[in-house]
Amino acid sequence: MNPGYLILHPATDQPLPEISPLLARLVETGLIGQVVPDTPDCFRAGADFLQRLTFLGCSPNLPLDTDQHPGEALCTIRLLGPFPSAVLITGENCRPPRCRACRHPLPDWRSQIGTANSGIRCPGCGRESGLRDLDWRQMGGVARLFIAISQVFPGEAVPTAGLMQTLRQEGSEWGYFYVQQPRIWPKGAEMPGF
Ligand SMILES: [Zn+2]
């Protein structure tokens, strides 16, 4: 069973990086390796994958290759997007996001997404925030492009400063979050095959 995903994404709405150079840099720096056959934009871990992430706690035991982990689903690194407009990816059972102005949680954000064109109204201070402006507490993110790394428990690994630098070479700062059962909003958006 896949314990979850570490998902990286541009954290601002600046123009997206060009995909081909971005992938080339991730190959060069060893995060991604061979293409997974028959799966679009999906890669096996590269030679320096374990050096591009910092693992917290006990030593990592990610299923990176079939020699060490026969019969198991292997860790993959998958590009999701670019989507035509920004989407939210978060977990099925994630805790609610918080208002950045007053820190109040917004437990009914799902129902508000369905109704409001404006924003999500905070029950604490009344401020309306767009999805991107809420604090998803590293359990969700809003972007047009994501890089999802599978087989990572929530909080188990964080990207190194070097990986974040590689990602931001084309301009935008990047962020990251963790999900276990990914869901996408708006609901009509095409869900990539995780
Ligand atoms: Zn508030």
Side-chain angles (χ1 to χ4, degrees):
M1 183 196 148
N2 177 24
Y5 298 87
L6 163 62
I7 302 186
L8 302 140
H9 63 96
T12 69
D13 57 3
Q14 286 178 326
L16 287 181
E18 300 248 5
I19 301 300
S20 301
L22 175 66
L23 289 177
R25 279 201 304 279
L26 294 177
V27 170
E28 267 166 38
T29 53
L31 182 78
I32 65 177
Q34 289 181 333
V35 172
V36 176
D38 304 323
T39 314
D41 300 326
C42 190
F43 304 85
R44 299 273 184 240
D48 294 323
F49 177 85
L50 293 175
Q51 282 72 54
R52 307 298 284 162
L53 301 173
T54 300
F55 288 85
L56 312 173
C58 51
S59 61
N61 188 32
L62 261 68
L64 298 184
D65 62 63
T66 42
D67 293 346
Q68 304 278 336
H69 299 267
E72 289 181 41
L74 295 182
C75 171
T76 59
I77 300 99
R78 185 155 185 188
L79 197 71
L80 309 174
F83 296 91
S85 57
V87 299
L88 164 68
I89 293 180
T90 184
E92 176 72 10
N93 300 311
C94 80
R95 283 178 289 162
R98 287 184 186 273
C99 170
R100 284 197 190 273
C102 75
R103 309 301 304 156
H104 200 287
L106 289 84
D108 65 342
W109 66 272
R110 286 184 177 83
S111 57
Q112 287 205 49
I113 282 186
T115 55
N117 281 326
S118 41
I120 311 284
R121 179 177 287 276
C122 170
C125 69
R127 176 164 127 165
E128 287 192 351
S129 301
L131 289 179
R132 193 193 288 276
D133 300 322
L134 295 174
D135 178 3
W136 292 94
R137 305 154 83 192
Q138 290 196 322
M139 292 180 292
V142 178
R144 291 182 52 211
L145 180 70
F146 302 84
I147 296 173
I149 304 176
S150 73
Q151 307 291 338
V152 178
F153 282 96
E156 181 186 18
V158 297
T160 60
L163 174 54
M164 297 307 269
Q165 188 180 353
T166 301
L167 290 169
R168 73 166 169 263
Q169 273 180 4
E170 299 238 351
S172 180
E173 289 291 326
W174 284 58
Y176 61 92
F177 59 94
Y178 305 92
V179 295
Q180 292 198 281
Q181 295 170 279
R183 294 291 180 270
I184 194 167
W185 280 268
K187 284 247 162 79
E190 189 185 338
M191 183 64 175
F194 273 94

